[in-house]
Amino acid sequence: MFQVAKGVKIPFPEKIREEYQLFSNCVRFHLSIEKVAPMLRDFIQQEPEPFFLALHLPLSEQEEKPLRKLPSDPFHERVYYLDGQSREQMLALLEQYGALLLEDGLSQFSVGSHVTQADFFVQKYKLIAIYDQDPARFTGLLQQYGLRETERLLTAWDTFTRDTPGSCMRIEMDGMSVYEICEQLTERGLYAAKIVEE
């Protein structure tokens, strides 16, 4: 049974399949949430160090006001980076913060190699994309986790209707949210890089 993150509500999770779709610059897929951390560890093990972490956090309501002129305008998020991490440091970060990052519904994050620029990006509703110049080289890893290739990936958004929308929520674990992760990692070199549309 496909498991979604605690901070994510998908109206019909039974419609989501563990499949991947290959594109020229990435491979996109859905994976049951309990399998994501092991796959991400495997990604870190196979890619060359050093690594970077990118953390995407929604702007506050006050920060959004000058950026959103109309209700139809997109929301925004601030992107933070932590660069130059060794394999051991990145695995330790995943061990310390991975469960909260994966279960949280509001944030997005990615881990990438500075050498290959391959980027494992956990996006909204936990849709995952691995960006790379040669994304086909990751199909073996995906197949190890039971994913099958499809010509059209059914995403969480495809299951939403006006009457059955999805939702993403902030969660806490042991009194910590993703914003506390951001504060803690700032002491270790995390820096705010840019503001982008969600």
Side-chain angles (χ1 to χ4, degrees), residues 20-29 46-47 118 130-144 149:
Y20 67 89
Q21 184 175 355
L22 198 57
F23 298 88
S24 61
N25 67 333
C26 73
V27 57
R28 286 196 182 101
F29 58 97
Q46 81 174 43
E47 291 302 295
I130 301 178
Y131 289 91
D132 190 65
Q133 291 181 347
D134 180 21
R137 71 186 180 92
F138 292 100
T139 58
L141 174 63
L142 302 183
Q143 289 165 3
Q144 286 176 30
E149 186 171 9

Side-chain angles (χ1 to χ4, degrees), residues 17-181:
R17 301 281 181 265
E18 291 186 314
E19 296 176 329
Y20 67 89
Q21 184 175 355
L22 198 57
F23 298 88
S24 61
N25 67 333
C26 73
V27 57
R28 286 196 182 101
F29 58 97
H30 273 296
L31 187 64
S32 193
I33 195 65
E34 77 278 4
K35 299 178 185 176
V36 179
M39 182 187 282
L40 181 50
R41 281 193 293 270
D42 287 345
F43 171 88
I44 294 168
Q45 291 289 2
Q46 81 174 43
E47 291 302 295
E49 58 187 350
F51 293 93
F52 63 85
L53 171 72
L55 182 59
H56 298 233
L57 298 179
L59 296 185
S60 69
E61 189 175 336
Q62 186 176 359
E63 291 173 312
E64 279 286 1
K65 280 183 181 176
L67 298 175
R68 297 187 74 233
K69 308 300 183 192
L70 300 169
S72 59
D73 287 346
F75 287 94
H76 299 80
E77 56 191 13
R78 184 170 282 111
V79 183
Y80 299 84
Y81 287 102
L82 181 63
D83 295 323
Q85 301 296 291
S86 69
R87 179 172 289 106
E88 290 71 25
Q89 287 174 315
M90 191 55 72
L91 289 170
L93 284 173
L94 184 59
E95 181 68 26
Q96 185 174 3
Y97 300 116
L100 177 53
L101 288 171
L102 287 169
E103 295 290 356
D104 182 70
L106 285 187
S107 61
Q108 303 180 82
F109 75 97
S110 72
V111 172
S113 165
H114 283 296
V115 178
T116 63
Q117 296 299 307
D119 190 2
F120 190 110
F121 191 6
V122 182
Q123 302 169 319
K124 287 286 186 188
Y125 293 99
K126 306 307 172 187
L127 175 68
I128 302 171
I130 301 178
Y131 289 91
D132 190 65
Q133 291 181 347
D134 180 21
R137 71 186 180 92
F138 292 100
T139 58
L141 174 63
L142 302 183
Q143 289 165 3
Q144 286 176 30
Y145 282 83
L147 280 85
R148 294 184 304 252
E149 186 171 9
T150 182
E151 292 185 1
R152 186 188 179 282
L153 181 68
L154 180 78
T155 70
W157 288 270
D158 294 319
T159 70
F160 301 161
T161 69
R162 186 181 299 256
D163 296 328
T164 58
S167 64
C168 292
M169 301 158 289
R170 186 179 81 169
I171 67 159
E172 292 188 0
M173 287 184 174
D174 301 321
M176 179 182 286
S177 75
V178 289
Y179 291 95
E180 280 72 44
I181 292 177

